[in-house]
């Protein structure tokens, strides 16, 4: 039987060969016929079965005579379970639990991406401060332990003698010696401030003038100091008998809002108000009359700060005044007693470090010098007269033009400039000085008779340039004469001094809050103590 089938197959093959059949064409025809048979036996089904998602006006379309599609407008991508096939078993691609798991995983991925975007934006917008190294534990000497129990006057005498004997500081990990006049003296003075100083804050006075800090704008330094001082537990004492200094917590900015009559051009009512406030303190407490106000201090950043003390002779003559408007020519600011307060512009009270810092590298600073601002005072019109539209690398404007700001913002100009010009306005102070430091641009101060902030301890020549007002016509020549090596050193020092001008919601050692308090302490110590003072038993 098998032999017969075999012989039959051979005979058929011989017959095909005799008829010369083209085998490739035969296989192609067979394949086409097989495909048609399969499609004819495949049941019709709809991909989109949701009536709400299907456009009823559209007619069905058949692919290869069998596959049924509905043309529709799909508002949201939606995958439906295919209808059961009559000739094949049902296979579910996604159960409800699996679909829920997929959705949760997708939401998790989206949240992670959002957090990363927020983190990148925060790094871009905020100056991120790394946690400082823990302060080395200071073991108190026997004389330091004894000083803690001394009365205020004798404790101050001890502190002055200790500062005079300050040991030399070498390779300090937190402070950079070249930006200080004498790092050893500053370091010892700061340590003794942390050890000894106690401040009593007068509770008197109603808000908003007293105890309500103004935390935004260019006058925010007085408000931030008030906020951080009143919440401090290290330096503040509730017992005035133990205090070395007395703080009068009022805000000149708030005083202006509460008392000044717009358009009156008369600020005398403000000084009369403060005169009455000081007279009240001198009647209610014994501390003012004990020293005639020489151990009291105030902090005022508003331009009118110096003029509000004029109606009270002892307030003007004896009190330590921390002023942004530190002008030697007005006869109110006294160097060695009063201190120059940095004028810092705060745009966001909740995040004072937002939108500051992160300056460009030196190689990305093609602009030699930059200034933009209102034409206040006598200096700025002269600056524009000599330098506006004169040199391509001297970007000198009034208010920054809109067509320029669209291409490069004010902050981007600062970040792209080697030198940032800080001319005085109506008064000698300018927030541009600290802004330049924030954006790592070497500040160029043009303001005669201006006492620079913290100049009792900081060496401003190490990280800034001071140009006399009369030399404005020679400004570019003066800047080009500075050797590149010196400029690089100054620009590097700007970065290292930046930490001393930063406000933080939680104060850090050597930040601007502590630097202000130290300058008050330092000047008070050297003004009121004499070399004849001695600590008992020393």
């Amino acid at each position: 039987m098998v032999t017969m089938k075999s012989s039959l197959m051979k005979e058929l093959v011989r017959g095909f060969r005799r008829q010369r059949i083209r085998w490739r064409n035969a296989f192609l025809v067979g394949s086409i016929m097989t495909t048609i048979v399969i499609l004819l036996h495949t049941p019709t089904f709809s991909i989109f079965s949701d009536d709400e998602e299907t456009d009823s006006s559209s007619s069905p379309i058949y692919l290869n005579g069998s596959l049924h599609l509905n043309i529709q407008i799909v508002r949201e991508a939606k995958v439906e379970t295919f209808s059961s096939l009559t000739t094949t078993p049902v296979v579910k691609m996604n159960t409800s639990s699996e679909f829920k798991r997929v959705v949760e995983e997708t939401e998790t991925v989206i949240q992670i991406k959002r957090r990363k975007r927020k983190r990148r934006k925060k790094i871009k917008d905020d100056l991120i401060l790394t946690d400082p190294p823990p302060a080395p534990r200071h073991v108190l000497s026997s004389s330091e332990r004894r000083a803690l129990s001394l009365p205020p006057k004798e404790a101050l005498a001890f502190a002055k003698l200790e500062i005079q004997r300050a040991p030399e500081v070498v390779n300090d990990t937190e402070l950079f010696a070249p930006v200080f006049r004498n790092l050893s003296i500053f370091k010892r003075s700061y340590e003794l401030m942390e050890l000894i100083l106690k401040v009593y804050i007068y509770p008197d006075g109603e808000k908003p003038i007293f105890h309500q800090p103004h935390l935004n704008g260019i006058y925010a330094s007085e408000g931030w100091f008030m906020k951080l001082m009143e919440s401090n537990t290290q330096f503040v004492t509730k017992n005035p008998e133990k205090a070395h200094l007395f703080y009068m917590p009022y805000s000149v900015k708030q005083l202006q809002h509460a008392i000044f009559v717009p358009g009156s051009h008369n600020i005398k009512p403000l000084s009369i108000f403060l005169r009455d406030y000081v007279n009240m303190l001198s009647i209610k407490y014994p501390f003012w009359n004990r020293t005639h106000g020489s151990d009291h201090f105030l902090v005022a950043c508003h331009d009118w700060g110096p003029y509000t003390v004029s109606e009270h002779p002892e307030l003007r003559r004896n009190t330590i005044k921390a002023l942004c408007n530190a002008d030697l020519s007005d006869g109110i600011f006294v160097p060695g007693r009063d201190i120059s307060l940095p004028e810092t512009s705060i745009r966001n009270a909740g995040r004072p470090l937002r939108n500051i810092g992160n300056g460009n590298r030196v190689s990305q600073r093609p602009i030699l010098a930059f200034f933009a601002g209102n034409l206040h005072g006598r200096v700025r019109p002269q600056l524009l007269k000599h330098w506006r539209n004169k040199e391509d690398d001297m970007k000198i404007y009034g208010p920054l033009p809109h067509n320029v700001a669209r291409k490069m913002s004010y902050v981007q100009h600062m970040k792209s400039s080697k030198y940032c010009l800080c001319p005085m306005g109506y008064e000698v102070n300018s927030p541009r000085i600290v802004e330049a430091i924030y954006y790592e641009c070497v500040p160029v101060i043009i303001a005669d008779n201006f006492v620079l902030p913290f100049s009792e301890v900081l060496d401003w020549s190490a990280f800034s340039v001071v140009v006399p007002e009369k030399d404005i016509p020679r400004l570019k020549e003066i800047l080009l004469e500075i050797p590149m090596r010196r400029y690089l050193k100054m620009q590097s020092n700007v970065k290292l001094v930046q930490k001393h001008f930063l406000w933080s919601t939680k104060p850090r050692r050597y930040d601007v809050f502590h630097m202000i308090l130290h300058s008050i302490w330092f000047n008070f110590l050297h003004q009121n103590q004499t070399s004849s003072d001695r600590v008992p038993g020393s």
Side-chain angles (χ1 to χ4, degrees), residues 250-494:
Y250 69 89
S251 166
V252 177
K253 178 65 176 176
Q254 301 285 41
L255 185 64
Q256 176 210 5
H257 282 309
I259 295 179
F260 179 70
V261 178
S264 66
H265 306 289
N266 182 15
I267 64 174
K268 189 173 182 179
L270 282 67
S271 59
I272 292 174
F273 180 90
L274 283 186
R275 178 197 66 190
D276 296 341
Y277 166 69
V278 174
N279 287 337
M280 179 272 296
L281 294 181
S282 65
I283 294 171
K284 185 175 180 179
Y285 301 93
F287 312 112
W288 180 277
N289 294 328
R290 192 170 61 189
T291 64
H292 301 284
S294 63
D295 55 358
H296 288 56
F297 71 92
L298 60 91
V299 178
C301 193
H302 195 280
D303 288 350
W304 296 348
Y307 313 123
T308 58
V309 303
S310 58
E311 289 296 315
H312 195 290
E314 289 182 343
L315 179 64
R316 172 174 176 165
R317 184 175 59 248
N318 299 334
T319 302
I320 302 171
K321 298 177 286 296
L323 303 171
C324 286
N325 189 6
D327 189 349
L328 290 174
S329 65
D330 61 16
I332 297 175
F333 185 92
V334 178
R337 182 194 65 196
D338 301 329
I339 76 160
S340 178
L341 182 68
E343 186 171 1
T344 55
S345 180
I346 303 297
R347 296 177 177 85
N348 188 318
R351 293 164 61 185
L353 298 178
R354 187 178 185 182
N355 296 318
I356 66 174
N358 304 314
N360 295 345
R361 298 190 300 270
V362 173
S363 60
Q364 297 175 334
R365 293 178 180 268
I367 303 171
L368 177 64
F370 165 70
F371 168 78
N374 294 321
L375 302 184
H376 297 156
R378 65 178 185 269
V379 174
R380 298 181 186 182
Q382 289 297 314
L383 182 64
L384 266 69
K385 174 185 174 182
H386 289 282
W387 293 108
R388 179 160 57 180
N389 299 326
K390 296 294 177 64
E391 301 284 348
D392 291 339
D393 58 352
M394 299 281 285
K395 303 296 184 182
I396 311 299
Y397 306 96
L400 194 63
H402 292 295
N403 62 327
V404 176
R406 282 197 298 267
K407 298 176 182 177
M408 183 182 292
S409 68
Y410 178 87
V411 170
Q412 289 171 333
H413 271 88
M414 279 198 151
K415 290 183 177 183
S416 302
S417 301
K418 293 181 174 66
Y419 297 95
C420 291
L421 306 184
C422 308
M424 64 176 287
Y426 288 131
E427 305 295 346
V428 292
N429 48 302
S430 170
R432 286 169 181 78
I433 297 174
V434 177
E435 285 178 341
I437 293 173
Y438 285 166
Y439 302 120
E440 301 168 12
C441 179
V442 175
V444 179
I445 297 99
I446 310 175
D448 295 350
N449 301 312
F450 180 41
V451 179
L452 292 166
F454 311 141
S455 54
E456 53 277 334
V457 294
L458 292 180
D459 180 8
W460 278 81
S461 66
F463 55 90
S464 71
V465 179
V466 176
V467 175
E469 295 173 21
K470 64 180 179 62
D471 288 338
I472 288 176
R474 298 182 53 247
L475 182 58
K476 183 171 183 178
E477 178 186 348
I478 292 171
L479 297 180
L480 291 178
E481 286 177 351
I482 298 173
M484 178 55 71
R485 180 176 296 180
R486 184 188 166 202
Y487 165 75
L488 293 174
K489 185 175 292 186
M490 285 193 296
Q491 203 268 341
S492 176
N493 291 345
V494 166

Side-chain angles (χ1 to χ4, degrees), residues 74-98:
V74 183
R75 292 192 182 93
E76 294 179 0
K78 203 173 201 182
V79 179
E80 299 290 347
T81 306
F82 289 120
S83 301
S84 300
L85 302 179
T86 56
T87 57
T88 58
V90 176
V91 179
K92 292 185 178 181
M93 300 302 294
N94 287 313
T95 64
S96 60
S97 61
E98 290 175 341

